[in-house]
Amino acid sequence: MPLIDTTEHPLRQRFRPLWWLGVTYLLIGAVTRIVLLAMTGPGVPASPLYWLYAFGVGACYDLVTLLYVAWPLLLFLWLVPRRIYVSRVGQGLLYLLAFLLMYGLLFVAASEFVFWGEFGVRFNFIAVDYLVYTTEVIGNIRESYPIGLWMSLIGLLALAIVWLGRRWLRTRDTGSRFLRRGKVVLGWLVLTVVSVFAVSGTLKDRSENMYVNELAGNGIYQFFAAFRSNHLDYARFYRTLPDDVAFGRVRSSLQTPDATYLSDDAHDLTRAIRNPGPEKHLNVVLISVESLSADFLKTFGASHGEITPHLDALANDSLFFDNVYANGTRTVRGLEALSLSIPPTPGDSVLKMHHNENLFSLADIFNDRGYVSEFVYGGYGYFDNMNYFFGHNGYTPVDRKDIPKGATIHSENVWGVADEDLYTLALGEMDKIHGDGKPFFLHIMTTSNHRPFTFPAGRVKQRNGTREGAVAYTDWSIADFIERARKRPYFRDTVFVITADHDASSAGKTSLPVNRYHIPLWIYAPGHITPRRVHRFMSQIDIPPTLLGLLDFSYRSRFFGYDIFKLPAGRERAFPATYEKLGYLRGDLLTILEPQKKVEQFHPDFTNGDARPALPRNPGDIDDATAYYQVAAELFKQGKLVRRPSDSQPVPAVPATVERGQ
């Protein structure tokens, strides 16, 4: 009995492999969701309704994605002449194409498991972003996982699937014609085009549980949806206000007792910030630590055990802020906040945008006072455009390539040298600048607390290659850095500012789980800044102006951040965001602006990141959120965030009238 019915219509014979691909792809999608669901654990309650939604809607997204991934096979089935198609060569080519498709789809599925484990979501803008830096990403994967074994297993599984489906992959065609086959392809093309306009990556987002929404998606589809939205024009995609209204609200919000507007132009945010003189021209070392979540610390509950003894002890010797919230979930967002003091922009960070040169930055304020400002990074600064951005905005970039030849490197991976070696590089820069008789401002960006979590042996008791070990090593290396700096003559005149670029995880049940934005902040300067704990709610963009206030600097500013000690109580806010969802957090109310001019409001749980809808909505917070993001995006787009020659003009100090430490 023949395996294939020869009386079957020739078109059905020819396109039978397409059915094989469709069924196989749907099965891969279902298995992928089962694995991701298991990885999520308690994030998705054991509810049949959740499961039905995730797998039902997910199957629909898989079918839409099939329209795209099937095109190589579809073109093969259409274009290959019948005499070649039914030959041994044609059969071999079909088997090869089927294997390559299976290998690619299984590779994507395995990649999704890794991505979900790291970020708790399907492929998104982060995955798109990483394509630009294949050296680092591939190196990170090779150093973190047994990639050779995985690739081999994927190959074997792909071979097995092709072998099991060989009955559906027989090259049978008893007389199909090219034009008739073309009608099938034309129909497929029409469906593909319709899906582009009729389906979007946000249609699935109907559950209040974001894990369920992510499970209902498709990794390949979400990847290309994120690719299309990597440059989001705020005015086109988000809720807006009339310009005068938006600028008016922002100007009113930025008015504080230490600030005086210098222009009657309603669209100019330039303010004179006056602090009690004289200014303290102390050295400043700002360390943005990779992925240092607040809950790594004992003082916040130490979710990973007591792995930060030195940083916990430093909290008692520092001005320690325990209620700070980051701008985003990527390093570039933290660097953007700490250097420019602006809310995050939708899509790309300003660090990676065109025309991001000569912006008004923290380094400019130090440079006007004779400082030497440097950005010191343990990796190669071309990554995420860091060297270009900092090099064109008042900083001298110093990175891995500037480590002296012959210097001891205790450990390194694809992201950079071990933190202790980075601090050795920084100390060398500090020694050199001090030797030249100038004050210094160094912004140091670490890398050791990033997967693959490798660090020098013998430093901490925790296991190498683990998050716990990397955090413990981060803690050890900061303590070692401070102790080495303590032996320098400039130590007593140096302020150490230590914070995180972002949290270690961004995953949660809600679209913006606020607990995943909570970061610590130490300002340590024995003899200059009195140690105590500050509980006030604070944004990451408030760190630069608060630091300048502690130094009693008087200066011109277009920062969006506040000196938290000069801010009247009740006006605190933060800007937690992703590349698409723009958050405005004030008190216990979280306002989220989304594409298609959508707005949501929630009452967040600061402990676990859950949230409940806010009803009725607060229109004032919605307008404030809109105003902040609209104005920041518009000023950048129009080139009005740039530094002006007049920004260097001195601002006279005023007598002390505002008491710190409210």
Side-chain angles (χ1 to χ4, degrees):
M1 181 177 180
L3 290 174
I4 300 294
D5 184 2
T6 56
T7 64
E8 189 177 24
H9 192 281
L11 279 181
R12 290 185 179 179
Q13 292 176 347
R14 172 67 79 124
F15 288 101
R16 191 178 181 91
L18 202 59
W19 283 98
W20 167 82
L21 178 62
V23 172
T24 305
Y25 186 58
L26 288 175
L27 288 175
I28 291 174
V31 172
T32 299
R33 287 185 184 86
I34 292 172
V35 175
L36 297 181
L37 179 62
M39 292 174 65
T40 306
V44 177
S47 166
L49 290 178
Y50 280 151
W51 300 338
L52 181 63
Y53 185 87
F55 285 86
V57 175
C60 294
Y61 269 95
D62 290 347
L63 286 171
V64 171
T65 307
L66 178 65
L67 292 172
Y68 303 98
V69 301
W71 270 101
L73 178 60
L74 187 70
L75 292 174
F76 177 86
L77 298 176
W78 173 40
L79 296 174
V80 175
R82 178 178 172 274
R83 61 183 180 80
I84 297 177
Y85 181 74
V86 298
S87 68
R88 289 186 176 181
V89 172
Q91 182 68 79
L93 290 174
L94 180 59
Y95 281 151
L96 176 61
L97 179 58
F99 170 77
L100 293 175
L101 284 171
M102 276 303 102
Y103 192 93
L105 294 175
L106 291 173
F107 179 83
V108 169
S111 300
E112 282 211 77
F113 301 153
V114 174
F115 196 81
W116 187 279
E118 185 77 12
F119 301 104
V121 293
R122 295 278 197 168
F123 291 143
N124 60 13
F125 184 68
I126 298 175
V128 176
D129 211 26
Y130 277 177
L131 280 185
V132 180
Y133 304 103
T134 53
T135 300
E136 284 78 7
V137 173
I138 293 174
N140 182 43
I141 293 172
R142 292 179 62 185
E143 292 174 353
S144 302
Y145 305 100
I147 192 67
L149 176 62
W150 285 14
M151 299 290 276
S152 300
L153 292 175
I154 290 172
L156 291 174
L157 183 56
L159 282 173
I161 292 174
V162 171
W163 184 82
L164 291 173
R166 65 193 185 282
R167 180 173 180 269
W168 292 78
L169 293 171
R170 295 291 176 85
T171 52
R172 298 297 179 92
D173 185 344
T174 56
S176 73
R177 297 188 178 184
F178 180 78
L179 291 180
R180 286 183 176 271
R181 298 198 302 269
K183 291 180 180 179
V184 175
V185 176
L186 179 61
W188 199 275
L189 177 62
V190 170
L191 289 174
T192 303
V193 173
V194 169
S195 73
V196 171
F197 295 98
V199 182
S200 73
T202 60
L203 285 178
K204 61 181 174 51
D205 298 334
R206 297 293 182 268
S207 171
E208 75 282 359
N209 187 305
M210 292 308 299
Y211 284 122
V212 174
N213 290 332
E214 290 294 331
L215 288 169
N218 176 284
I220 296 175
Y221 187 91
Q222 296 303 121
F223 177 87
F224 285 101
F227 183 82
R228 292 197 301 268
S229 63
N230 66 340
H231 295 289
L232 290 172
D233 181 78
Y234 182 90
R236 178 182 176 188
F237 290 99
Y238 292 86
R239 181 182 186 269
T240 58
L241 294 169
D243 271 359
D244 288 344
V245 175
F247 275 90
R249 295 189 78 93
V250 172
R251 277 175 64 98
S252 177
S253 295
L254 294 180
Q255 181 67 67
T256 53
D258 60 333
T260 303
Y261 281 102
L262 296 176
S263 170
D264 293 330
D265 182 352
H267 292 191
D268 188 354
L269 303 184
T270 306
R271 308 173 308 282
I273 306 297
R274 292 182 170 89
N275 281 295
E279 295 185 353
K280 305 179 184 72
H281 290 181
L282 303 174
N283 304 305
V284 175
V285 177
L286 168 59
I287 306 173
S288 48
V289 182
E290 172 68 42
S291 304
L292 186 62
S293 304
D295 63 4
F296 288 145
L297 302 170
K298 182 179 179 181
T299 188
F300 295 112
S303 61
H304 289 69
E306 296 186 17
I307 53 178
T308 56
H310 300 100
L311 289 174
D312 285 319
L314 189 63
N316 297 322
D317 298 327
S318 304
L319 187 61
F320 182 66
F321 299 79
D322 60 11
N323 205 12
V324 185
Y325 285 80
N327 267 22
T329 60
R330 296 286 319 283
T331 293
V332 286
R333 292 304 189 185
L335 297 178
E336 177 184 86
L338 294 170
S339 60
L340 302 179
S341 186
I342 59 172
T345 51
D348 269 332
S349 162
V350 168
L351 263 75
K352 306 182 71 174
M353 290 187 181
H354 296 297
H355 312 300
N356 66 356
E357 303 88 356
N358 195 36
L359 303 178
F360 182 80
S361 73
L362 179 59
D364 290 329
I365 297 171
F366 284 109
N367 294 342
D368 286 340
R369 287 152 178 80
Y371 281 68
V372 174
S373 298
E374 294 186 348
F375 174 72
V376 186
Y377 179 54
Y380 294 115
Y382 69 82
F383 183 77
D384 272 345
N385 205 42
M386 288 186 282
N387 275 0
Y388 184 87
F389 170 80
F390 283 102
H392 287 80
N393 286 286
Y395 301 77
T396 298
V398 179
D399 68 1
R400 191 175 188 170
K401 69 179 183 300
D402 296 302
I403 296 175
K405 291 183 178 180
T408 300
I409 302 298
H410 295 88
S411 177
E412 59 185 327
N413 57 40
V414 69
W415 294 113
V417 298
D419 283 356
E420 63 187 90
D421 299 317
L422 166 64
Y423 293 134
T424 298
L425 175 63
L427 283 168
E429 295 298 309
M430 293 154 65
D431 292 343
K432 181 172 61 177
I433 298 168
H434 177 73
D436 291 338
K438 296 182 179 181
F440 53 77
F441 165 50
L442 261 65
H443 184 159
I444 303 173
M445 181 67 226
T446 74
T447 61
S448 289
N449 193 29
H450 192 295
R451 190 178 296 278
F453 309 130
T454 55
F455 50 87
R459 299 296 190 255
V460 295
K461 64 181 180 181
Q462 286 77 10
R463 188 161 58 89
N464 212 315
T466 65
R467 171 70 78 181
E468 291 81 0
V471 173
Y473 174 69
T474 294
D475 175 77
W476 177 91
S477 61
I478 290 174
D480 177 68
F481 171 54
I482 292 176
E483 286 307 307
R484 285 192 281 163
R486 197 183 303 275
K487 300 173 184 177
R488 262 61 173 189
Y490 49 76
F491 175 79
R492 65 183 58 192
D493 292 322
T494 301
V495 179
F496 296 87
V497 183
I498 306 168
T499 189
D501 57 350
H502 57 82
D503 261 42
S505 174
S506 59
K509 296 180 183 178
T510 57
S511 58
L512 289 179
V514 296
N515 64 318
R516 300 300 191 187
Y517 291 82
H518 188 198
I519 59 174
L521 170 63
W522 297 258
I523 300 182
Y524 175 65
H528 293 285
I529 297 177
T530 304
R532 61 189 179 84
R533 191 162 183 145
V534 180
H535 302 294
R536 290 191 67 179
F537 186 76
M538 185 176 178
S539 169
Q540 195 174 33
I541 71 172
D542 298 329
I543 295 175
T546 299
L547 168 64
L548 296 173
L550 289 167
L551 297 173
D552 284 322
F553 279 18
S554 295
Y555 58 99
R556 292 189 175 213
S557 174
R558 279 184 297 283
F559 289 157
F560 283 73
Y562 299 124
D563 177 349
I564 198 68
F565 295 118
K566 301 292 178 57
L567 181 68
R571 290 176 55 186
E572 303 88 349
R573 78 288 168 268
F575 300 92
T578 65
Y579 72 100
E580 275 191 329
K581 297 179 186 293
L582 309 177
Y584 177 77
L585 182 59
R586 188 179 70 85
D588 70 340
L589 190 62
L590 174 63
T591 303
I592 303 176
L593 308 179
E594 303 177 28
Q596 285 79 53
K597 303 185 185 295
K598 182 180 177 183
V599 178
E600 295 182 298
Q601 276 192 331
F602 299 95
H603 292 294
D605 187 319
F606 287 80
T607 302
N608 60 25
D610 290 352
R612 55 185 175 83
L615 297 172
R617 290 183 173 183
N618 183 319
D621 275 22
I622 293 175
D623 284 347
D624 283 341
T626 302
Y628 266 111
Y629 283 108
Q630 177 180 334
V631 168
E634 184 172 325
L635 287 177
F636 177 78
K637 185 177 181 180
Q638 295 178 354
K640 294 182 179 179
L641 288 180
V642 298
R643 174 174 168 79
R644 306 169 187 170
S646 59
D647 292 335
S648 297
Q649 293 181 9
V651 174
V654 296
T657 57
V658 179
E659 182 181 353
R660 292 192 179 279
Q662 296 178 17

